[in-house]
Amino acid sequence: MTTAQDVTRRLAIAEYRVVGEPPEPDLEGLVRLAATVCGVSTAVINIIDDRLQHQIAAVGFTPSMCSREDSMCAVVFQKPGHVVVPDARADDRFADNPFVTGAIANIRFYASSPLITPAGIPIGTLCVFDEETGDLSPADSAALAILAHQVVDVLELRRMTRALQASNDQLETFAAQVSHDLRNPLAAVTGFIELAADSPELADAPRAARALARAESAATRMERMIADLLQYARSGGAEPRREPVALDGVLRVVMEDLDAALRRSGARVAIDTPATVLGDPTLLGVLLQNLIANAVKFSAASGVPPYVEVTASPISSGWRITVEDNGPGIEPDNRESVFDLLERGDAHDVPGWGIGLSTCRRIVEAHGGLIGIEDSPLGGATVWIVLPDARQDAAPAAEIESTSAAA
């Protein structure tokens, strides 16, 4: 009768996708190493479900499968543990087993160590055996147990790699859909701006003409940003462009894109970033725009006029960039979880989907950097970033001030 434990084991085995597949070279290497360490000619990795024993990698013979009732490993599998049997004929558990009696084989020496998943589910064994009696020294016995752990590590790595690939595929699909959904209305906005810019009435309205020119420039930047982010998502975010990037230049563009939001909130943003870092200018713009917009949004929601300081200072490993605000801050217990996708901490009354900080961490880590949160001298939160130096002379320090009275 199939038990709940058998069902759980079967599901765990299915996640590894090794049954019925060609032997993996990494697993075959571990089997060969186990045979060498234990001084025998035959070794095997057995995966045991509720009906069968599947030999997924072996040395000394061709892997196959047999019924669970005939399996020697299934006998010790009832109570998973490390087993060393010098002569199987003298062990009541194995004396009548077909692998010992000659019906299938003539095994004498037998040793196995269980394969136990990180969730604590036993799924099989790493087994060595020989047709001659034998034994293992304590060191060799311990080595067999270590190799069994390595087998599980390989299986876990394969499983996580597949999960990551599936996640990246979903991200690419999501990014492509978002890109499509954003580009259509953006194309319409750009078209209307162009129509308005060509209107004869603008000849006598220079301020309106300048505003439309800025809007057209912002739409062009957004189109480029959408294309770059889609490419980034399609590559899994693994390798952004690497080039010297002057943060002052990036922040000028960011401030222009945030100008309307800063005016509405009455926010002031002071910037002192004499840094040239190595990275992708588009992604670094997304990073800094997210951080500044977040700081302004949460400060405004707390009822104070938002004030944000963005600074960069050299450290031994590159540049430390900080974005400080005078908002409510972030409790120490939440400073890690707010970087999770769709996590918004306690600020559920503030608009947004909880994607911004998750995106920020992804971008920073793709650049080989670090990101974290601490208290700010301004009374709110400080988000700090460490990015690699471009190893060039940095541009002169600059102070950019955006206020509600800015042009």
Side-chain angles (χ1 to χ4, degrees), residues 202-225:
L202 286 182
D204 299 324
R207 291 187 62 185
R210 286 196 300 271
L212 284 172
R214 290 181 66 181
E216 187 172 7
S217 176
T220 300
R221 284 196 302 272
M222 184 176 290
E223 171 69 22
R224 186 169 59 248
M225 182 182 295

Side-chain angles (χ1 to χ4, degrees), residues 126-388:
L126 172 60
C127 171
V128 297
F129 52 92
D130 197 66
E131 293 187 351
E132 302 292 332
T133 59
D135 206 347
L136 293 180
S137 69
D140 292 344
S141 183
L144 181 62
I146 291 172
L147 289 173
H149 285 291
Q150 293 296 312
V151 169
V152 175
D153 287 344
V154 170
L155 295 176
E156 276 291 301
L157 181 60
R158 283 165 44 87
R159 182 187 65 79
M160 289 188 290
T161 300
R162 286 193 302 271
L164 180 60
Q165 183 59 55
S167 176
N168 284 339
D169 290 344
Q170 291 174 357
L171 176 62
E172 180 179 343
T173 301
F174 172 75
Q177 184 61 51
V178 170
S179 174
H180 176 270
D181 292 346
L182 288 176
R183 277 175 164 161
N184 283 345
L186 181 60
V189 169
T190 303
F192 285 124
I193 291 174
E194 291 174 350
L195 284 174
D198 293 336
S199 174
E201 289 84 353
L202 286 182
D204 299 324
R207 291 187 62 185
R210 286 196 300 271
L212 284 172
R214 290 181 66 181
E216 187 172 7
S217 176
T220 300
R221 284 196 302 272
M222 184 176 290
E223 171 69 22
R224 186 169 59 248
M225 182 182 295
I226 290 171
D228 288 348
L229 290 178
L230 177 59
Q231 180 59 41
Y232 179 63
R234 283 176 170 164
S235 66
E239 192 60 39
R241 295 200 309 268
R242 299 293 178 125
E243 59 187 67
V245 179
L247 289 185
D248 280 346
V250 172
L251 282 161
R252 286 190 181 95
V253 175
V254 166
M255 295 298 289
E256 185 171 345
D257 288 343
L258 291 176
D259 184 67
L262 298 178
R263 288 171 177 272
R264 284 195 301 270
S265 63
R268 292 186 302 128
V269 181
I271 298 175
D272 183 11
T273 54
T276 299
V277 301
L278 197 62
D280 185 309
T282 298
L283 295 179
L284 292 178
V286 172
L287 167 67
L288 291 167
Q289 184 165 320
N290 263 296
L291 294 180
I292 294 172
N294 259 10
V296 169
K297 177 171 63 176
F298 286 99
S299 296
S302 69
V304 300
Y307 177 68
V308 180
E309 290 184 359
V310 186
T311 60
S313 54
I315 58 175
S316 60
S317 58
W319 286 89
R320 187 176 191 268
I321 300 127
T322 60
V323 178
E324 301 182 32
D325 64 60
N326 62 338
I330 299 174
E331 292 296 325
D333 290 346
N334 292 333
R335 288 176 184 173
E336 179 61 28
S337 64
V338 292
F339 289 105
D340 295 337
L341 188 64
L342 303 180
E343 174 59 49
R344 304 176 59 240
D346 297 326
H348 297 293
D349 56 341
V350 180
W353 290 99
I355 296 175
L357 285 178
S358 175
T359 301
C360 290
R361 168 167 280 182
R362 182 184 173 92
I363 292 172
V364 170
E365 290 180 348
H367 282 78
L370 299 169
I371 186 170
I373 298 173
E374 58 190 36
D375 291 330
S376 168
L378 300 179
T382 295
V383 179
W384 58 263
I385 305 158
V386 172
L387 291 175

Side-chain angles (χ1 to χ4, degrees), residues 87-123:
D87 188 347
R89 294 171 300 181
D91 191 303
D92 291 341
R93 294 172 295 180
F94 306 117
D96 296 328
N97 189 279
F99 281 93
V100 177
T101 62
I104 297 178
N106 294 289
I107 293 176
R108 299 296 177 258
F109 168 68
Y110 166 87
S112 70
S113 198
L115 307 178
I116 300 178
T117 73
I121 304 169
I123 60 170

